[in-house]
Each structure stands twice: as structure tokens, then as C-alpha cells.
Amino acid sequence: MAESGSLPTGFGELEVLAVGMVLLVEALTGLCLNSLTILSFCKTPELRTPTHLLVLSLALADSGISLNALVAATSSLLRVSHRRWPYGSNGCQAHGFQGFVTALASICSSAAIAWGRYHHYCSRSQLAWNTAISLVICVWLSSAFWAALPLLGWGHYDYEPLGTCCTLDYSRGDRNFTSFLFTMAFFNFFMPLFITFISYRLMEQKLRKTGHPQVNTTLPARTLLFGWGPYALLYLYATIADVSSVSPKLQMVPALVAKTVPTINAINYALGGEMVHRGIWQCLSPRGSGLDRAR
């Protein structure tokens, strides 16, 4: 979508403002919850374990997604008055790259957490620091590699239909985009989804045999499908048909849905964990922290 001095096609001022407010709420909620997770890891010694390092990686990635959403929200609100993307074409490329890096890191960190929990429950041994650090480095280097490829010519970043955020340009649907999409999706969506599903499924079977309390093993995989499935469907449709036949408002749905992932992950992986929950409470309540240490 080209930078222009008018509102994007298919959107009125109220609709642009509404999208901006939704993005703002998503961004601030995700930032607050994931910042608490990061703070609790830094301030609570009990959380400095290899397993929680993977959760920290996810929280950092999701904080990046929320920051990306905050930029998009600000752009939406500014677009009503300025009628244009305020950061220029280079800003669009940077915004697309940052969003893609953190999105891929979030997906792959979820898969790493799933594997880490499978290792813990099925081998009955703690994850080693070397393994956890290697996983985190691999996740971020891989994410940066795939996100850099559109800057180098394989794929391309461009404006979303609303013109307030940037992502992979799926409007072309040419061989360049199609080859990049299928290769990237296999390694960064389907493989992590498969690892997440299989890890939790095997963990569920192990817990059932040993008589341990059951855990919700389908929620992480469903979160990945819910958060990133709409983007996958839109990109897939763009490879087989003219995406301009899809209304601009409908094309914005995947972006809005994806920005809820940081909040869902924070609730599922951090607030849902007893130790992380206690660490967050200690960070918010110094008196409570003192009492816990006294005990």
C-alpha cells in the first residue's frame, strides 16, 4: 500500500480511530503483563532456572510484539490528522523487520518451552543451562535470519491495508513471495506447531501413566493456531488468488488477532505458573517479599 495524504480505501476516520484504540489496548496490556514477567525473573532468584529462561525469551519476544503494536496504534491515531504513515519508507521496513523478528521468536519460544517441559516431565531431570541458552540463541538467530531475508530481496515488507503498520507484502502473490512464504512457514510455523503439539501430547501420556495431575496440553497449540492461523490463511489465500478480492477491513483482522498473543501467552505461561505468579507478587509487594524471606 502506498503512502498517501488521504485515509486508506475502505476506512473512515472512526474506523481508523477504533483500530488504533484496539491496538493501543492490546499493546499496553501485553507490555504490562510481560514486563512483570521479565521483572520477576530479574528480581526473584528462584525463577532463575533454565526452564524459566525459555519463558523469559517468550516474554521478551511478546514485549517486542506489543511495542510493534504500540507503534501501529500511534500511527493509527496520527493518520487521522496527518493522513499518512509518519515514519517514511525506511521506518516501514524497520517496523516490518522488528515485528517479524519478534513474531517468529514468540512462535519458536513457545515450541522451545513445550520441548523443555516434555524433557522435564519425561526424563525426570532438570533442563541444563547450556541446553536452555543454546535454545534461546538458536530461536533469536533463526528469527533474525528469516526476518532479514525480505530486506535482502526474498520477500518484501509493505504497509498493511490501513497503512498504520508494516508486514510481509502479500499483495503481489508472485513466485518470489510464494517461495519465501512456503519455506518460511514450514520452518517457522508448522514445525514449531508440530513440536508444541507432540511435546505436550507425549507429556500428557507420561503424566497419565505415572498418575500425576493432568495439565492442559492443548492450550499452547491452540494459542498458536488462534494467534497466527489467520495470518497463515491470508498468506495462503494470497498465493492462490487475488488478495484484493478480500476487503481491506477483513485483511486487518489477522493483525489485530496476532497482537492478542502477548497477553494470552503471559496469562498462560507466566501468570498461570505458581512460581512465576509468586515472583510477580513479590515484585509488586515488597512487604510480601520480606515476609516470604522471613519464613
Side-chain angles (χ1 to χ4, degrees), residues 83-155:
R83 295 290 196 271
R84 62 193 297 273
W85 166 264
Y87 309 113
S89 59
N90 289 335
C92 177
Q93 298 300 303
H95 186 255
F97 173 78
Q98 187 270 343
F100 203 31
V101 167
T102 51
L104 295 180
S106 176
I107 294 171
C108 294
S109 292
S110 297
I113 291 172
W115 182 86
R117 291 183 175 180
Y118 159 77
H119 177 273
H120 172 70
Y121 283 103
C122 294
S123 68
R124 313 302 299 170
S125 62
Q126 292 291 335
L127 190 66
W129 273 108
N130 287 343
T131 304
I133 293 173
S134 297
L135 281 173
V136 171
I137 292 175
C138 181
V139 162
W140 284 94
L141 286 180
S142 173
S143 301
F145 168 77
W146 285 101
L149 291 178
L151 299 177
L152 301 175
W154 197 18

Side-chain angles (χ1 to χ4, degrees), residues 30 33-35 37-38 53-65 109 113 140 262 265-266 270:
L33 293 179
N34 285 285
S35 295
T37 303
I38 297 169
L53 179 65
L54 302 180
V55 178
L56 175 66
S57 174
L58 178 64
L60 289 170
D62 286 340
S63 296
I65 295 175
S109 292
I113 291 172
W140 284 94
N265 282 342

Side-chain angles (χ1 to χ4, degrees), residues 195-214:
I195 292 171
T196 301
F197 178 79
I198 291 298
S199 296
Y200 280 108
R201 181 60 65 185
L202 293 175
M203 186 177 74
E204 182 183 36
Q205 294 175 357
K206 181 69 174 180
L207 292 175
R208 188 183 295 117
K209 289 180 180 179
T210 56
H212 283 77
Q214 295 298 300

